[in-house]
Amino acid sequence: KLFFTDYGNAAKVERCDMDGMNRTWIVDSKIEQPTALALDLINKYVYWLDIYLESVEVADYQGRRRQTITKGRQIRHLCGLAVFENYLYTINSDNLNILRINRYNGTDVQALARLDNAKEIRVYQKRTQAAVRSHACEVDPYGMPGECSHICLLSSSYKARTCRCRTGFILGSDGRSCK
């Protein structure tokens, strides 16, 4: 799945399949300017920053069990968001500090370090990486991903795929080749 925010005409947190199909709203009320997302892949929660409402919130992948983690003026200066174990990690764009926030109650906020020009944050740790299993976009013996001549995108499951073409090309009638 692909998770994303939109704060155009109607702000929301959404998800869709990697090919853009099955677009689903997770949160579409009491939200104004969501600017960063982080996923708890194990427990299936999505966290987001709303810099207009000055809040950090969480909901499950269906938009249920929504909670506010923390609120306040300091939120408008946060950018980027990552989750690992019991904490959220973010960057204060005012002073470029990396902050650690307890994700269960919003307390225990600590500045960990300062990084010049930081705009985004990610946590890379072996336990947070999903095991790679056989999937529909694997490269075939001819070097083509999922038998697609240009781009292979996973669909509704790891067993299904959609082929797409690079800019300037159109998908052929076979659904795999680009012309």
Side-chain angles (χ1 to χ4, degrees):
K1 299 289 181 195
L2 173 69
F3 290 78
F4 58 99
T5 64
D6 178 5
Y7 55 91
N9 291 334
K12 52 198 158 301
V13 175
E14 300 182 64
R15 74 169 188 273
C16 66
D17 295 337
M18 293 297 286
D19 63 358
M21 301 303 291
N22 297 314
R23 196 167 165 175
T24 304
W25 293 1
I26 298 171
V27 175
D28 66 343
S29 65
K30 298 179 186 169
I31 187 168
E32 291 293 330
Q33 199 169 352
T35 58
L37 286 181
L39 299 176
D40 175 346
L41 298 172
I42 295 164
N43 298 305
K44 297 186 176 359
Y45 282 104
V46 58
Y47 292 83
W48 68 94
L49 298 174
D50 190 316
I51 61 172
Y52 184 84
L53 295 178
E54 300 174 343
S55 64
V56 178
E57 297 188 56
V58 62
D60 66 20
Y61 285 5
Q62 285 70 45
R64 296 186 296 260
R65 299 184 2 214
R66 182 175 177 179
Q67 292 182 313
T68 299
I69 304 297
T70 188
K71 256 179 123 44
R73 291 183 52 124
Q74 75 280 5
I75 303 300
R76 76 173 71 166
H77 302 290
L78 300 183
C79 60
L81 190 63
V83 61
F84 181 65
E85 294 181 340
N86 296 332
Y87 295 95
L88 296 171
Y89 296 86
T90 187
I91 299 166
N92 183 321
S93 62
D94 261 2
N95 58 23
L96 302 176
N97 280 334
I98 295 173
L99 300 178
R100 184 178 81 172
I101 304 167
N102 184 303
R103 71 173 170 148
Y104 297 110
N105 58 25
T107 62
D108 189 23
V109 178
Q110 281 188 306
L112 301 177
R114 186 179 189 284
L115 289 176
D116 291 335
N117 300 317
K119 301 269 189 273
E120 186 58 72
I121 189 165
R122 290 287 172 254
V123 173
Y124 292 98
Q125 208 280 342
K126 189 173 183 171
R127 289 183 294 163
T128 64
Q129 304 302 310
V132 177
R133 62 168 98 162
S134 179
H135 57 82
C137 286
E138 286 187 287
V139 176
D140 68 15
Y142 304 103
M144 297 191 337
E147 300 179 347
C148 300
S149 65
H150 285 188
I151 302 167
C152 182
L153 300 168
L154 292 176
S155 295
S156 56
S157 80
Y158 67 94
K159 296 177 182 177
R161 60 106 177 103
T162 301
C163 295
R164 295 283 190 254
C165 300
R166 294 189 299 261
T167 303
F169 292 83
I170 58 169
L171 194 62
S173 58
D174 64 359
R176 297 186 319 231
S177 60
C178 297
K179 301 173 183 168

